[in-house]
Amino acid sequence: MLVHIGRLINKKMVGKYAVPAFNTSNLETTQGIIRAAVAQKAPVIVQTSVGTIEYAGIEEIAAIIKAEAREVDVPIALHQDHCKDFDLIKKLIAVGYSSVMVDASALDYKENVKLTKAVVAYAHKRGVWVQAELGRLLGNEDWQTVKSGDDLMTDPKQAAKFVQETGVDTLAVAVGSFHGIPVNPQIRKILTTLKEHIDLHRLKLIHEHVKIPLVLHGASGVPDHQMVAAIKNGVAVFNIDTDLRVAFNKSLRKNIKDNPQIYDPRKLLRPATDGLQKMAEQKLKLLKANNKAKLIIKKPTL
Ligand code: G3H
Ligand code: 13P
Ligand code: ZN
């Protein structure tokens, strides 16, 4: 069932278990994610990036997610990942997203507050949650410019001020994780080391200062024990994209190699969807989201 994100994320769960926000990009990745949620009786957030919106179209991808979600009896919430375009956010709200991320983290503090506040005012009027980001979480291209991680990390006191000033519902924090897997092997080595050393002390301080659920982006490649420790320190949502993409890719390539005679796209893609589902199920179990579908508060579905 398609539900508001507020039914999945609440103060009671914080510290006990977390919900993954998996990025989808098409029918197959959506099916893999939702089948994993069904198999594990778990709540799940399905999210789209701006890149996916450009690739698939807003109406198209939203319709796929909503239709797949409505066919199952586990709670699925629809969320927009990193977005700095207010006009696009308005369109997403109009098509039924129950949560949007306004990512103004590349701007200075004042500008971040200004845009985030404006989005919160608009979204809350329509019953939609807003996630924002403080500190900088870099992506595949831009993260190579990093000299020292410290100045990019979320400051706990500033985070408390930011939440109070903006009224956001969830906060994405920068505590050492990064998006994606860099192609350059040397950079990849540095990234892996960084992800293995999530700044749990900083996370603990942020959790003490900030009373809303925290979101950890760039969760692919973060070691399992760090993920578990992050849950204890206030992370309620883990954004996971790359690990699913890698699983999809591996299964697809193997299928093509093993079965060169296959030309039906459905037969080519089915094992890839299954591979992605398997990875999504592992993540649901790791976050202890399995068997939590029944705990979701009863309110009307969307
Ligand atoms: O936040 C980053 C996500 O992994 C989205 O990536 O822009 O390639 O869809 P994308
Ligand atoms: P990964 O690709 O590193 O899992 O990051 C995903 C993410 O943070 C999406 O917002
Ligand atoms: Zn992210």
Side-chain angles (χ1 to χ4, degrees):
M1 55 193 152
L2 184 70
V3 302
H4 191 283
I5 196 168
R7 290 180 57 189
L8 272 61
I9 310 302
N10 54 69
K11 285 195 178 139
K12 267 173 87 179
M13 66 180 283
V14 174
K16 299 188 183 91
Y17 73 95
V19 174
F22 290 132
N23 288 74
T24 192
S25 53
N26 58 12
L27 172 68
E28 287 74 21
T29 48
T30 305
Q31 284 177 333
I33 292 165
I34 293 182
R35 286 173 191 168
V38 171
Q40 292 301 324
K41 301 183 175 55
V44 84
I45 299 165
V46 180
Q47 62 185 3
T48 53
S49 69
V50 171
T52 285
I53 297 289
E54 285 165 3
Y55 169 77
I58 301 181
E59 297 283 350
E60 293 84 345
I61 193 72
I64 288 173
I65 301 166
K66 288 195 265 184
E68 293 287 331
R70 284 184 177 133
E71 279 172 20
V72 298
D73 60 1
V74 293
I76 314 283
L78 178 54
H79 170 77
Q80 173 63 28
D81 204 7
H82 307 271
C83 188
K84 21 181 189 263
D85 178 348
F86 200 169
D87 288 333
L88 178 55
I89 287 175
K90 288 178 184 169
K91 286 184 194 153
L92 294 160
I93 290 174
V95 301
Y97 282 64
S98 66
S99 175
V100 291
M101 176 186 192
V102 52
D103 183 357
S105 60
L107 305 178
D108 66 26
Y109 179 83
K110 261 192 174 167
E111 291 302 310
N112 188 349
V113 169
K114 195 174 158 198
L115 179 57
T116 304
K117 251 177 109 165
V119 171
V120 168
Y122 183 89
H124 281 187
K125 234 184 247 169
R126 292 156 180 83
V128 170
W129 273 26
V130 179
Q131 180 189 136
E133 180 171 319
L134 192 65
R136 280 208 69 194
L137 213 109
L138 302 174
N140 274 336
E141 293 111 48
D142 56 4
W143 85 273
Q144 302 187 27
T145 57
V146 179
K147 298 276 180 300
S148 134
D150 240 30
D151 50 338
L152 301 169
M153 299 270 202
T154 307
D155 174 73
K157 283 194 185 134
Q158 194 183 48
K161 188 165 169 264
F162 181 83
V163 168
Q164 204 250 324
E165 284 178 345
T166 58
V168 288
D169 304 280
T170 56
L171 183 70
V173 293
V175 290
S177 59
F178 291 89
H179 289 119
I181 303 173
V183 184
N184 178 314
Q186 271 175 323
I187 296 173
R188 191 161 60 233
K189 203 167 161 221
I190 301 167
L191 173 80
T192 311
T193 315
L194 278 167
K195 283 201 172 183
E196 281 168 4
H197 296 89
I198 293 290
D199 189 343
L200 290 170
H201 177 65
R202 183 182 294 271
L203 190 56
K204 187 170 183 282
L205 289 178
I206 299 170
H207 182 39
E208 281 165 13
H209 283 79
V210 172
K211 296 299 164 210
I212 60 171
L214 304 177
V215 183
L216 187 79
H217 283 243
S220 295
V222 174
D224 290 0
H225 69 278
Q226 294 275 73
M227 300 274 274
V228 171
I231 296 175
K232 294 205 174 90
N233 288 294
V235 175
V237 178
F238 287 81
N239 275 26
I240 302 171
D241 188 357
T242 303
D243 279 342
L244 297 194
R245 289 183 184 190
V246 171
F248 187 91
N249 246 278
K250 270 191 188 157
S251 307
L252 179 61
R253 286 175 201 277
K254 185 175 182 314
N255 188 29
I256 293 172
K257 195 164 167 261
D258 293 351
N259 303 290
Q261 78 288 359
I262 293 179
Y263 63 92
D264 179 338
R266 294 164 301 185
K267 290 186 180 148
L268 277 172
L269 291 170
R270 179 67 207 227
T273 305
D274 294 345
L276 181 148
Q277 177 183 338
K278 227 169 141 187
M279 176 57 75
E281 287 192 49
Q282 279 176 31
K283 299 290 182 187
L284 288 164
K285 286 190 268 185
L286 174 67
L287 304 185
K288 296 198 166 57
N290 53 323
N291 299 316
K292 298 296 190 303
K294 59 181 180 299
L295 294 185
I296 304 306
I297 355 156
K298 295 256 179 292
K299 270 191 207 155
T301 51
L302 288 174

